[in-house]
Amino acid sequence: MNDNKRPDDMARITTVELAEKFIAAEVEKVQKQVGDRKVLLALSGGVDSSVVAALLIKAIGKNLYCVHVNHGLMRKGESEQVIEVFQNQLDANLTYVDATDRYLDKLAGIDEPEQKRKIIGAEFIRIFEEEARKFEGIEFLAQGTIYPDIIESDGVKAHHNVGGLPEDMQFELVEPVKLLYKDEVRVVGKALGLPDDMVYRQPFPGPGLGVRCLGAITRDRLEALRESDAILREEFAKNGLEGKVWQYFTVVPDFKTTGVKDGKRSYDWPCIIRAVNSSDAMTATIEEIPYALLHHITARITSEVKGINRVLLDLTPKPTGTIEWE
Ligand code: XMP
């Protein structure tokens, strides 16, 4: 039997009751596979790795070793939430690595998008490997592989890039949600008691804010991006758009424009709002944000975010624009 193939008769997990059945069966399976040995997991805070973490904590408790690498390109409050939920609430064995300086130093002056991505990916593998070597006797690597990853890439994960660990670090894989679709993973997360804003969060790219802080990343512009994104997310949540819109974020380009504030001229960055709907990220349409809300968000960003004096709206569907700007 091919255990990477979803059985034709496997019922779709649509309710918490069905999710609880799935969880009970997976807990038993993992306990059988792992016994009292140790499992390592890269916990990004995204839906898939968070659900795998919560499930494995239930199955093997402290024998799950979670590593959360903060690459400095996370959204506001994200790493803090990982620590709050997994360390404080679920009592997980969590190692938090603040690699912000390491990443931003490596990325300084690099403006080519694919090179930025490569640096971010390679650095992640290096840091994860360094952390993994500090633990003794790890035999398993858990991954948040989900069914679309298997279908899309013929078994090779496209976006979950821990597959690139060195050859002398061979682990047996633990992939408890690999036969589930994204909506099912969310229901399982809900049944495991994870917070809604973790379970229903919008897609967020592995390179994080790095692909939205255009060109060569600087700390001050990254901060302006993070703050403007936080305001956009807060306003979308307040106005019932969170969970309704597929993906929404701000982008800060690496050029400045003139402005005027408190009777003085300014020379600061613009900030671009992008909000799209999609079902598979291959194509996307534009969410029509009410103008009153756009005015309010513009007023907040230009008055609260240091370094931004202008707000623009991206009206381009995919195609011709990609969802991200880099
Ligand atoms: P684009 O910009 O290609 O994005 O229309 C399609 C979807 O993929 C996400 N995306 C990424 N995810 N690593 C990721 O894990 C990446 O390098 C990456 N680039 C884009 C993007 O956010 C959108 O959901």
Side-chain angles (χ1 to χ4, degrees):
M1 193 186 90
N2 178 359
D3 64 359
N4 273 345
K5 167 121 180 49
R6 186 173 165 120
D8 294 335
D9 59 353
M10 183 170 157
R12 195 90 176 190
I13 300 171
T14 50
T15 63
V16 167
E17 290 71 38
L18 289 170
E20 277 163 357
K21 267 198 198 142
F22 170 85
I23 293 164
E26 279 308 311
V27 163
E28 213 182 301
K29 245 195 250 172
V30 170
Q31 286 170 339
K32 222 159 142 193
Q33 182 188 4
V34 171
D36 58 5
R37 291 172 291 171
K38 297 174 183 169
V39 180
L40 184 66
L41 170 73
L43 178 57
S44 67
V47 184
D48 307 335
S49 67
S50 295
V51 169
V52 167
L55 210 154
L56 293 188
I57 289 166
K58 210 174 164 78
I60 59 168
K62 296 272 187 196
N63 276 340
L64 176 70
Y65 288 71
C66 302
V67 177
H68 174 69
V69 178
N70 176 0
H71 50 21
L73 305 167
M74 308 289 282
R75 285 170 294 192
K76 190 173 181 175
E78 254 180 332
S79 286
E80 290 81 354
Q81 187 186 38
V82 169
I83 294 171
E84 171 55 29
V85 170
F86 289 99
Q87 198 162 55
N88 301 350
Q89 295 175 19
L90 297 178
D91 198 24
N93 219 334
L94 172 71
T95 302
Y96 170 68
V97 185
D98 183 357
T100 302
D101 288 337
R102 233 173 117 159
Y103 273 90
L104 297 187
D105 289 350
K106 275 244 152 72
L107 287 164
I110 309 290
D111 61 2
E112 207 279 311
E114 283 318 306
Q115 207 188 340
K116 284 166 71 177
R117 268 202 177 74
K118 267 197 199 124
I119 290 172
I120 295 167
E123 199 58 18
F124 175 81
I125 290 168
R126 213 166 294 137
I127 292 172
F128 189 61
E129 182 204 341
E130 281 170 25
E131 292 305 317
R133 289 195 194 281
K134 291 180 191 164
F135 304 121
E136 300 240 315
I138 303 251
E139 291 181 45
F140 297 87
L141 182 70
Q143 288 196 155
T145 314
I146 66 172
Y147 204 47
D149 299 324
I150 290 177
I151 303 170
E152 271 167 32
S153 54
D154 223 357
V156 181
K157 287 203 66 133
H159 280 154
H160 297 78
N161 46 13
V162 280
L165 285 173
E167 280 198 352
D168 68 320
M169 298 189 83
Q170 288 295 331
F171 299 110
E172 193 180 316
L173 292 181
V174 179
E175 299 178 300
V177 298
K178 72 176 174 186
L179 297 184
L180 302 192
Y181 290 100
K182 195 79 176 192
D183 55 304
E184 300 180 293
V185 178
R186 294 192 207 275
V187 183
V188 170
K190 184 104 186 107
L192 285 164
L194 291 176
D196 278 3
D197 61 346
M198 196 168 239
V199 169
Y200 296 106
R201 72 169 44 183
Q202 51 168 321
F204 187 58
L209 299 180
V211 295
R212 300 174 184 169
C213 189
L214 306 185
I217 298 168
T218 58
R219 286 171 196 250
D220 49 358
R221 198 155 50 83
L222 181 60
E223 203 43 40
L225 171 63
R226 187 176 284 123
E227 290 301 322
S228 60
D229 177 74
I231 291 173
L232 183 76
R233 285 193 290 139
E234 191 188 317
E235 290 299 332
F236 265 46
K238 262 196 220 155
N239 288 277
L241 293 173
E242 187 187 46
K244 174 179 171 279
V245 183
W246 167 272
Q247 215 170 346
Y248 46 97
F249 51 86
T250 60
V251 172
V252 179
D254 53 348
F255 59 81
K256 291 185 171 179
T257 78
T258 50
V260 59
K261 196 175 171 185
D262 303 329
K264 271 196 269 172
R265 276 174 79 82
S266 65
Y267 190 51
D268 281 328
W269 303 295
C271 156
I272 299 141
I273 294 176
R274 183 142 177 79
V276 298
N277 289 308
S278 179
S279 54
D280 56 7
M282 300 299 286
T283 61
T285 56
I286 295 301
E287 169 72 17
E288 294 188 7
I289 311 168
Y291 254 86
L293 179 58
L294 283 171
H295 284 304
H296 179 61
I297 293 170
T298 301
R300 279 199 64 192
I301 291 177
T302 50
S303 66
E304 293 174 37
V305 182
K306 193 166 169 260
I308 292 193
N309 64 358
R310 203 181 274 272
V311 174
L312 314 175
L313 178 64
D314 184 353
L315 288 175
T316 322
K318 176 181 181 177
T320 55
T322 49
I323 293 176
E324 303 292 346
W325 268 54
E326 275 192 346

